[in-house]
Amino acid sequence: MSVATMFLQLVEGMGITVEIFFLTLLFSLPAGLALSFGRMSKKGWLRGISKFYISVMRGTPLMLQLIVVYFAPYYVFGLRISSGYRFLAVIIAFVLNYAAYFAEIYRSGIESMPVGQYEAAKVLGYSKTQTFFKIILPQVIKRVLPPVTNETITLVKDTSLAFVLAEAEMFTIAKQIAAKETSIMPLMVAGLFYYVFNLAVAGGMEYLEKKLNYYR
């Protein structure tokens, strides 16, 4: 295999990796916020369900969750699984998993806010919804950005677990080429890609932190 052909195959895999990364963030960040509301709910049954869900998602391997999401339609509902469902199953499993982690990050940020801010907003005539979205949430985002950054960097590396469902993301393709060509070079290129991708993610998050720094 020529170097050009190998590079083109890796680039194609990179596209899948990037797609998994951004789709997971797009859906898991708001899903995590909604889940954190359930976790903090005054309704015991909702709080219990949310707590149990988060416990399961954080307490079991993502690899196992990928397998369950992929095969559940067949074993639970008797539906036929097509090859086209693989990518969707990957996204669903990643979103369900990362929403649980983001939920706990949001919860810690929201609960760290002083009660006095809620009371002051009430005195000023703000509704609960206005108080949260106009006063509390902007401050929470600033506080939770560092742990969210850590999870985001982990997500970049976790995208390689898509190989469990035979989804041809970059690391899977790199392993296939390495095995076929008996060369470690494709794996080194894959490692370099993950490193550069994480540098870009960390740099973007650092820029956001500086933009949200009120005390500069």
Side-chain angles (χ1 to χ4, degrees):
M1 180 184 295
S2 66
V3 175
T5 302
M6 180 185 74
F7 181 75
L8 288 175
Q9 289 186 7
L10 288 175
V11 167
E12 184 179 352
M14 288 177 191
I16 300 297
T17 296
V18 172
E19 196 172 354
I20 293 172
F21 172 80
F22 282 110
L23 286 176
T24 299
L25 281 186
L26 178 64
F27 293 107
S28 64
L29 284 171
L33 182 60
L35 187 58
S36 69
F37 292 152
R39 181 69 174 81
M40 297 181 293
S41 175
K42 294 180 180 179
K43 298 178 180 179
W45 63 270
L46 181 57
R47 188 170 62 251
I49 292 174
S50 301
K51 186 175 181 180
F52 176 73
Y53 172 83
I54 292 171
S55 175
V56 171
M57 290 295 106
R58 296 174 71 192
T60 56
L62 176 55
M63 185 180 295
L64 175 61
Q65 294 167 20
L66 283 161
I67 294 171
V68 170
V69 169
Y70 182 68
F71 288 104
Y74 175 77
Y75 286 104
V76 177
F77 304 107
L79 299 177
R80 187 176 181 180
I81 301 173
S82 66
S83 59
Y85 176 61
R86 285 186 187 134
F87 183 76
L88 180 59
V90 168
I91 300 303
I92 292 173
F94 270 79
V95 169
L96 292 177
N97 179 274
Y98 272 84
Y101 285 92
F102 288 137
E104 286 297 275
I105 293 173
Y106 284 130
R107 182 181 66 84
S108 64
I110 294 170
E111 292 184 344
S112 70
M113 298 303 298
V115 178
Q117 296 209 22
Y118 293 93
E119 296 173 344
K122 186 176 181 180
V123 170
L124 292 173
Y126 283 88
S127 67
K128 290 184 178 180
T129 301
Q130 290 174 323
T131 299
F132 181 77
F133 285 102
K134 291 186 177 181
I135 299 175
I136 303 301
L137 186 59
Q139 297 179 73
V140 168
I141 291 174
K142 179 179 181 297
R143 293 190 180 196
V144 303
L145 206 52
V148 166
T149 299
N150 289 335
E151 289 300 325
T152 303
I153 289 174
T154 300
L155 172 59
V156 173
K157 294 175 286 186
D158 278 351
T159 55
S160 62
L161 290 175
F163 82 90
V164 175
L165 302 184
E167 185 61 41
E169 45 72 51
M170 188 199 57
F171 192 69
T172 300
I173 293 177
K175 288 191 298 182
Q176 292 172 350
I177 297 175
K180 183 179 180 180
E181 301 294 323
T182 62
S183 170
I184 197 174
M185 185 56 65
L187 296 176
M188 299 298 290
V189 173
L192 179 62
F193 165 76
Y194 284 116
Y195 178 68
V196 172
F197 195 1
N198 271 325
L199 277 182
V201 170
M205 290 298 191
E206 185 178 355
Y207 173 77
L208 285 177
E209 285 187 48
K210 288 180 180 179
K211 293 291 287 184
L212 294 173
N213 187 358
Y214 312 135
Y215 307 107
R216 287 183 300 168

